[in-house]
Amino acid sequence: MAIREIKKYPDEILKKKTEAVDDFGDDLQKLIDDMVETMYAAPGVGLAANQVGVPKRLTVIDVSVGNEETSLIVLCNPEIICHEGEEANEEGCLSIPEYTTMVKRFGKVTVKGHDRHGKEVELEADGLLARALQHEIDHLNGILFVDRIGRIKKEFFKKRYKREKAVSS
Ligand code: NI
């Protein structure tokens, strides 16, 4: 296992839609293990494959941030098939360090996809897990959480983010 470099905004790869996973062989298994290690090391509650530079429809999620071994979710080709309600909550992203803001999401979602071996899976989630699933599926579609905020707020984010980058680099 190895920790991979997390691509940061405004890296172009974060804006591109990813491709379906159809080969569940050794390369994918290694990528998954590396992504899990990278997510825990960050630490973060989720990571999408394109965040480590691989444009595949794959995400790893653990909303316990590694506190409970059983809560790790590995999803290939995830898709929201059902949703209910709406909730606004504070959100951040490993690709946009030190910036959080309120984002509106569905309150509950049902997601289907494949596990790490290609078996079809379906899961129902609410709360933080529902939010993480929507955030990661957005990543796989080339969408960042700052694309889900209002235009004025986004302009403000861009200016502020550039300025902070300029100061820190
Ligand atoms: Ni993210």
Side-chain angles (χ1 to χ4, degrees):
M1 294 212 289
I3 291 174
R4 301 206 185 190
E5 184 208 338
I6 298 175
K7 305 287 180 193
K8 304 281 165 31
Y9 173 91
D11 195 308
E12 283 297 308
I13 197 164
L14 299 170
K15 291 188 201 162
K16 284 184 194 137
K17 231 182 138 162
T18 53
E19 280 168 27
V21 173
D22 51 12
D23 182 345
F24 294 85
D26 291 349
D27 286 352
L28 184 78
Q29 301 309 316
K30 170 142 187 27
L31 172 62
I32 291 169
D33 290 342
D34 286 356
M35 281 173 61
V36 171
E37 196 181 353
T38 305
M39 171 179 72
Y40 287 147
V45 296
L47 192 65
N50 48 342
Q51 285 183 280
V52 293
V54 183
K56 288 276 173 197
R57 284 191 86 74
L58 160 68
T59 179
V60 297
I61 294 172
D62 189 340
V63 291
S64 75
V65 207
N67 293 330
E68 298 158 46
E69 268 175 46
T70 50
S71 53
L72 175 67
I73 293 168
V74 175
L75 266 182
C76 299
N77 310 319
E79 227 183 289
I80 295 170
I81 52 168
C82 248
H83 59 81
E84 214 185 290
E86 204 179 68
E87 251 176 55
N89 218 328
E90 196 82 9
E91 218 168 285
C93 180
L94 293 174
S95 292
I96 308 175
E98 286 156 40
Y99 181 79
T100 61
T101 192
M102 294 295 274
V103 183
K104 258 190 218 162
R105 299 277 186 192
F106 301 129
K108 273 187 185 173
V109 289
T110 306
V111 172
K112 73 163 193 187
H114 297 102
D115 72 4
R116 65 185 296 162
H117 303 294
K119 193 182 134 211
E120 263 190 46
V121 287
E122 202 176 291
L123 69 131
E124 250 183 66
D126 59 10
L128 181 58
L129 180 56
R131 179 163 297 271
L133 282 162
Q134 292 170 82
H135 179 109
E136 300 311 324
I137 291 170
D138 266 359
H139 268 304
L140 301 177
N141 291 327
I143 298 165
L144 295 168
F145 78 104
V146 290
D147 298 322
R148 296 248 180 232
I149 59 181
R151 192 175 54 84
I152 293 167
K153 212 163 141 187
K154 189 165 180 191
E155 285 305 313
F156 187 73
F157 156 76
K158 280 186 181 165
K159 277 187 200 143
R160 205 192 99 168
Y161 205 73
K162 258 188 218 154
R163 196 167 60 227
E164 279 178 7
K165 279 286 212 206
V167 170
S168 63
S169 63

